[in-house]
Amino acid sequence: MLTVKNLKTWFPVRRGLFQRTVGYVKAVDDVSFELRKGETLGLVGESGCGKTTTGRSILQLIPPTEGEVFFNETNLSRAPEFIIRPLRKDMQIVFQDPYGSMNPRMTVRSIVEESLIVQNIGTPAERLDRVRDVLRKVGLDDTCLYRYPHEFSGGQRQRICIARALVLNPKFVVLDEPISALDVSIQSQIINLLAKLREELELTYLFISHDLSVVEYLSDRVAVMYLGKIVETGTSHELYTDARHPYTQALLSSVPTMDAEKRKRRIILTGDVPSPIRPPSGCRFHPRCPLCMDICRKEEPPLVRISESHTASCHAVK
C-alpha cells in the first residue's frame, strides 16, 4: 500500500539581515520502508528524532525535500494537488494533542463533518447520519453533536479526533503519538479502540510513539529511528527478543519493569542527542554508543540483513 524511498525533509536555517540560508535542520534524512495493506508499522525513537515529520511528509502535509512516496502506485511527492486532493480520503492522521488539533469554536458535528463537506460527499442529512455512525464506532453518542471541545475529557477529545479521521472511510491512518497526552488509565481504552477499529474497518496504521510497550502490543513490525535515520527494522517479536542495534537495546532496557534482573542490565546512554543541523560524521549514534569503533566515526554503517524481515544499520552487527 505504501512505499517510502529515500525520503528527506530538511528545514532551512536563515540568519542575518537578508535571511540567507546558512544550514539545514535534517529532520528526516534518507528514510525508506514499505507498509503492506492491513499492517501496523510502529515508528519509535526519542523525542526530536524525526518521527512526526516523517508521518507528515508521507501525507504531504510537509513537502519533502527529496525522495518518493508511493501510495497505491501513485507518486505523491511528484503529483499535483488536484491528484492528491481526492486521495486524501484514503489517507488520514490523528494528531498528538487532541485539544490543540480541534477548533475550539466548532461543535463536534462541525469538526467531524468538515472533511465530508470539503470532499463534497453526500447531502446534509446523509452527512449527519455518517457523523452519528462514526461517533458511535468510537464510543460516543448523539448528545456530543452540539457540544464544544472544552466540554470533554482528554480521552473523549481523542475519540472525536479518531472519528474525524475515520469519517471518510480511509485505508491508511497515521497515528501521531495518539495516547501520549492522555492519562495512563485512558491510554489502554484508546489503544484497545484503535485495535478494534483496525480489525473492523481493515485499516493500515503507521503508529508513531516513544512508548515501546504500547508499540509491541499494537504493531506487526517496528522501525527504530535516530536523528533522522532508521537504524533497525523487524517484526515486533524479532525486535523485542533479538535487538541488534545498540540504540534499540538501550531503548528496550529503559522500559519500566518489575524484573529486578532486567533493571540491573539497564543501559544508560551518556551525552545528549547531537544537533540535526550538524549531525556527526559516520554513524550518527557513535558519540553515545558503548560499542563505538574507529570505523564508526568515519563511515556510515551499511544496512545489514539479519533475517528476511530484520535489518540493522551498525558496524558491530555481523
Side-chain angles (χ1 to χ4, degrees):
M1 173 177 285
L2 181 74
T3 302
V4 179
K5 294 183 178 179
N6 308 115
L7 184 68
K8 294 183 180 181
T9 305
W10 295 4
F11 300 100
V13 178
R14 295 186 173 90
R15 290 178 185 167
L17 179 64
F18 298 102
Q19 291 293 289
R20 291 192 178 95
T21 299
V22 296
Y24 292 90
V25 177
K26 299 177 181 180
V28 180
D29 197 16
D30 199 15
V31 165
S32 301
F33 60 85
E34 294 183 349
L35 190 55
R36 294 180 287 271
K37 182 179 179 181
E39 185 180 42
T40 298
L41 174 66
L43 188 60
V44 303
E46 292 174 289
S47 296
C49 70
K51 306 185 299 296
T52 294
T53 305
T54 299
R56 296 190 182 193
S57 297
I58 289 170
L59 298 180
Q60 306 301 301
L61 299 178
I62 298 175
T65 306
E66 290 182 22
E68 296 176 315
V69 178
F70 292 90
F71 179 74
N72 287 338
E73 301 182 354
T74 300
N75 190 343
L76 301 179
S77 53
R78 297 184 180 179
E81 181 59 30
F82 73 88
I83 291 178
I84 295 178
R85 190 182 184 95
L87 288 176
R88 293 198 184 279
K89 296 195 299 290
D90 297 328
M91 306 180 297
Q92 291 293 305
I93 183 170
V94 177
F95 294 100
Q96 179 177 354
D97 183 0
Y99 189 70
S101 63
M102 290 189 289
N103 188 333
R105 298 184 180 182
M106 294 174 66
T107 62
V108 170
R109 175 185 173 177
S110 300
I111 290 169
V112 178
E113 186 184 26
E114 185 177 23
S115 55
L116 294 172
I117 296 172
V118 170
Q119 294 288 346
N120 196 27
I121 296 174
T123 64
E126 290 170 342
R127 289 197 293 265
L128 179 57
D129 289 341
R130 176 60 187 156
V131 169
R132 284 174 170 160
D133 180 58
V134 75
L135 286 175
R136 281 194 289 270
K137 277 187 171 67
V138 299
L140 299 173
D141 56 33
D142 291 357
T143 60
C144 301
L145 283 171
Y146 299 102
R147 293 163 63 189
Y148 292 87
H150 72 271
E151 300 179 67
F152 296 91
S153 67
Q156 289 173 322
R157 290 173 192 161
Q158 196 61 284
R159 289 174 188 268
I160 294 167
C161 292
I162 293 170
R164 176 177 59 184
L166 298 182
V167 73
L168 289 172
N169 290 320
K171 299 174 183 176
F172 169 60
V173 181
V174 175
L175 302 171
D176 184 10
E177 302 200 36
I179 62 168
S180 63
L182 306 178
D183 294 337
V184 175
S185 59
I186 305 299
Q187 288 182 3
S188 60
Q189 297 178 20
I190 298 300
I191 287 300
N192 289 330
L193 173 64
L194 292 171
K196 176 185 174 184
L197 291 171
R198 179 183 60 182
E199 299 300 323
E200 288 183 359
L201 306 178
E202 298 180 349
L203 297 171
T204 303
Y205 289 154
L206 174 63
F207 183 63
I208 297 170
S209 180
H210 57 260
D211 190 330
L212 292 173
S213 57
V214 173
V215 170
E216 181 181 18
Y217 172 74
L218 195 63
S219 302
D220 301 304
R221 289 190 302 124
V222 180
V224 181
M225 200 166 181
Y226 182 79
L227 207 62
K229 287 185 177 288
I230 290 180
V231 297
E232 187 166 7
T233 61
T235 65
S236 292
H237 177 73
E238 287 173 327
L239 213 71
Y240 282 81
T241 58
D242 187 28
R244 297 297 185 90
H245 197 283
Y247 178 62
T248 309
Q249 294 170 355
L251 287 180
L252 291 174
S253 76
S254 67
V255 176
T257 178
M258 297 297 292
D259 190 329
E261 290 300 318
K262 287 185 178 180
R263 289 203 298 271
K264 290 179 182 177
R265 296 194 298 267
R266 183 161 293 169
I267 301 171
I268 307 298
L269 296 178
T270 58
D272 297 323
V273 180
S275 169
I277 300 177
R278 296 181 185 85
S281 59
C283 175
R284 297 193 173 188
F285 186 59
H286 85 256
R288 307 173 71 197
C289 181
L291 306 178
C292 179
M293 302 175 288
D294 287 340
I295 192 174
C296 300
R297 299 184 179 92
K298 301 173 184 176
E299 298 181 17
E300 188 170 330
L303 195 65
V304 179
R305 186 166 294 279
I306 299 159
S307 69
E308 186 177 349
S309 57
H310 191 182
T311 61
S313 180
C314 179
H315 289 295
V317 174
K318 304 297 183 182

